[in-house]
């Protein structure tokens, strides 16, 4: 029993902390550089043209998760026109009670929320514009890793092109956590770890264990596939803006 619980803890922390943070780091690094390339060639406002949807999703993700964790939102702008004095593209100013474990733990999830928000938005866009691909992805996540045989289904190429353009805009503007995001996420890191460990222990000794970890596996597979897709798009956009 103890061995199973320790294995489950390692699995949960790896899938919910390790895997997402790997993609968070890679996507943030690439898209931060892309936005800098855009600013160098087209000015700071060029970031709005090529990434306005991503900026809105980014700030909306911060805002929604801040409200979920009971933070008081003082002021927010989902998008703004940057100036020479203030190059901020959007912001969410919020406060919380440091004595409140739940609110303090929320800082981790609030700061990394744009990554999950952008992934979810991309997934919903795929469902709307390329439903065949979306359905194939969902079916593949319901199989074990040894059974997965995902093939590219036939698609409407115009819909696919529209989807890729929107996805590129989201990648450029949304997948860029600031240094402040990374710094502030540390405030709730250990509380989140302890919370996940406690939840895993409780679930491991209940009849819901098998169903929970199956659901976790499906969720992680979707996040990994969408994150790899976004990583490819982000890298491609970075190369394009380096050479134009």
């Amino acid at each position: 029993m103890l061995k199973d619980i320790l294995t489950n803890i390692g699995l949960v922390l790896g899938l919910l902390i390790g895997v997402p943070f790997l993609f968070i780091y890679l996507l943030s690094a690439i898209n931060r550089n892309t936005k800098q390339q855009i600013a160098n060639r087209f000015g700071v406002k060029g970031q709005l043209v090529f990434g306005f949807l991503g900026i809105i999703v980014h700030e909306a993700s911060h805002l929604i998760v801040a409200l979920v964790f009971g933070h008081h939102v003082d002021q927010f702008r989902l998008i703004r026109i940057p100036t020479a004095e203030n190059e901020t593209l959007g912001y969410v100013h919020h406060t919380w009670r440091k004595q409140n474990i739940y609110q303090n733990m929320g800082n981790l999830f609030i700061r990394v929320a744009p990554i999950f928000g952008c992934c979810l938005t991309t997934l919903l866009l795929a469902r709307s514009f390329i439903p065949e691909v979306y359905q194939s992805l969902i079916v593949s996540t319901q199989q074990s890793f040894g059974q997965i045989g995902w093939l590219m289904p036939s698609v409407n190429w115009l819909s696919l092109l529209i989807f890729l353009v929107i996805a590129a805009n989201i990648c450029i503007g949304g997948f860029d956590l600031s240094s402040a995001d990374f710094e502030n996420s540390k405030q709730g890191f250990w509380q989140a770890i302890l919370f996940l460990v406690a939840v895993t222990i409780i679930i491991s000794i209940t009849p819901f264990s098998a169903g929970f970890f199956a659901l976790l596996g499906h969720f992680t597979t979707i996040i990994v596939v969408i994150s790899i897709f976004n990583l490819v798009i982000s890298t491609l956009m970075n190369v394009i803006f380096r050479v134009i």
Side-chain angles (χ1 to χ4, degrees):
M1 174 65 76
L2 179 59
K3 182 179 179 181
D4 291 338
I5 291 176
L6 293 176
T7 300
N8 290 342
I9 290 174
L11 183 65
V12 168
L13 294 182
L15 295 181
L16 292 183
I17 300 294
V19 172
F21 267 82
L22 172 62
F23 286 108
I24 285 170
Y25 175 79
L26 294 174
L27 287 165
S28 293
I30 293 172
N31 288 292
R32 185 179 302 117
N33 183 267
T34 300
K35 287 171 71 175
Q36 186 60 56
Q37 297 293 331
I38 292 173
N40 291 341
R41 285 164 174 73
F42 304 100
V44 177
K45 294 181 181 179
Q47 298 176 69
L48 290 180
V49 176
F50 295 104
F52 68 95
L53 288 175
I55 295 168
I56 293 172
V57 174
H58 182 110
E59 300 302 338
S61 299
H62 281 317
L63 175 63
I64 292 171
V65 179
L67 293 174
V68 168
F69 279 91
H71 286 217
H72 181 267
V73 177
D74 301 310
Q75 195 176 32
F76 72 92
R77 290 279 295 275
L78 297 185
I79 193 167
R80 66 178 299 275
I81 298 176
T83 62
E85 295 75 24
N86 186 355
E87 297 184 357
T88 302
L89 300 173
Y91 59 83
V92 176
H93 295 160
H94 57 100
T95 56
W96 67 96
R97 291 186 293 126
K98 294 184 179 180
Q99 297 80 8
N100 187 306
I101 296 177
Y102 178 71
Q103 291 186 5
N104 204 42
M105 178 180 68
N107 282 299
L108 172 65
F109 299 101
I110 292 167
R111 293 306 172 180
V112 302
I115 302 299
F116 294 97
C118 289
C119 282
L120 177 60
T121 302
T122 303
L123 189 64
L124 293 177
L125 284 170
R127 182 180 181 181
S128 299
F129 286 96
I130 46 176
E132 301 87 357
V133 177
Y134 169 83
Q135 189 60 39
S136 182
L137 169 62
I138 297 302
V139 170
S140 70
T141 63
Q142 296 172 351
Q143 303 171 338
S144 65
F145 286 105
Q147 296 176 320
I148 291 178
W150 193 81
L151 296 175
M152 180 68 175
S154 59
V155 297
N156 181 304
W157 291 102
L158 177 59
S159 296
L160 177 61
L161 178 61
I162 295 173
F163 168 73
L164 291 175
V165 170
I166 298 175
N169 191 289
I170 291 174
C171 282
I172 292 171
F175 287 111
D176 175 19
L177 297 188
S178 66
S179 55
D181 285 334
F182 280 110
E183 188 62 30
N184 289 335
S185 67
K186 296 177 182 178
Q187 298 183 50
F189 182 79
W190 290 112
Q191 290 93 333
I193 293 292
L194 292 175
F195 172 77
L196 290 174
V197 169
V199 170
T200 303
I201 292 174
I202 293 172
I203 292 178
S204 295
I205 59 178
T206 68
F208 307 108
S209 178
F212 170 79
F213 287 105
L215 182 62
L216 179 62
H218 298 331
F219 170 77
T220 304
T221 302
I222 292 175
I223 289 295
V224 168
V225 172
I226 294 297
S227 295
I228 290 175
F229 166 78
N230 287 318
L231 195 59
V232 171
I233 294 295
S234 297
T235 302
L236 180 61
M237 291 298 101
N238 186 267
V239 172
I240 290 174
F241 283 107
R242 281 179 178 272
V243 299
I244 61 175

